[in-house]
């Protein structure tokens, strides 16, 4: 009986050891299973983040390309505007020089006491023409005959005086004392 009791104790000890081992392995298996699930969730989350980041990267790349094109267009526009500015500055300088030359010629002619006429190329009413002349220290007069108009124009061409201002398509103004306006006869 002692042997039986010893054998039972050994069997009981083996059974308890097996039970503890099986329980520990089962708990370890649950732990591994939980860890595997957490890893799978982490992998899925990382894959989702990766997909989102790749989408965002593509959007940023498209935005970068779009901004690069826009920058190139703006640089082209700046270059065009700079060239246009340079051209306008040259035109302005040329016109300023021409203005100075014409002002010098006007001063020279007015000091000589000769009649100076402005031949205009803009059509204005009598009131507008008179105001134009008065703004320049002159007055508006009319030559009623075509012969006298032709004579004044011919005399003006003899003196080779340039047209300095505009009052009407066929009007002429005189500088300093009077401004002459000639109207076309129909």
């Amino acid at each position: 009986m002692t042997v039986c009791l010893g054998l039972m104790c050994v069997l009981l000890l083996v059974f308890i050891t097996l039970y503890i081992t099986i329980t520990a392995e089962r708990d370890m298996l649950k732990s591994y299973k939980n860890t595997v699930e957490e890893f799978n969730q982490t992998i899925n989350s990382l894959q989702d983040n990766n997909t989102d980041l790749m989408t965002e990267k593509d959007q940023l790349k498209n935005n970068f390309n779009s901004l690069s094109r826009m920058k190139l267009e703006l640089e082209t526009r700046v270059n065009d505007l700079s060239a246009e500015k340079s051209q306008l500055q040259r035109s302005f300088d040329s016109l300023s020089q021409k203005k100075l030359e014409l002002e010098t010629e006007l001063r020279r002619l007015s000091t000589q006491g000769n009649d100076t006429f402005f031949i205009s190329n803009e059509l204005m009413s009598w009131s507008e023409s008179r105001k134009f002349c008065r703004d320049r220290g002159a007055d508006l007069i009319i030559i009623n005959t075509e012969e006298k108009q032709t004579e004044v124009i011919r005399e003006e061409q003899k003196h080779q005086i340039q047209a300095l201002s505009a009052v009407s398509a066929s009007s002429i103004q005189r500088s300093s004392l009077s401004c002459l306006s000639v109207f076309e006869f129909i």
Side-chain angles (χ1 to χ4, degrees), residues 3-19:
V3 173
C4 264
L5 192 55
L7 192 58
M8 276 175 98
C9 281
V10 170
L11 281 176
L12 186 58
L13 187 60
V14 169
F15 179 72
I16 290 175
T17 306
L18 280 175
Y19 177 76

Side-chain angles (χ1 to χ4, degrees), residues 76-102:
T76 302
R77 179 81 171 127
V78 164
N79 290 339
D80 292 347
L81 288 174
S82 295
E84 185 178 346
K85 178 187 171 215
S86 296
Q87 177 60 37
L88 288 172
Q89 185 64 47
R90 284 190 298 274
S91 295
F92 176 79
D93 293 343
S94 173
L95 289 173
S96 294
Q97 181 62 33
K98 184 71 171 173
K99 178 183 177 236
L100 287 174
E101 291 170 5
L102 292 173

Side-chain angles (χ1 to χ4, degrees), residues 144-160:
N144 290 321
T145 65
E146 192 171 347
E147 293 80 24
K148 184 66 174 170
Q149 289 177 17
T150 306
E151 179 184 329
V152 168
I153 291 171
R154 212 175 307 122
E155 187 65 29
E156 191 62 27
Q157 288 171 344
K158 266 198 239 174
H159 290 94
Q160 298 177 4

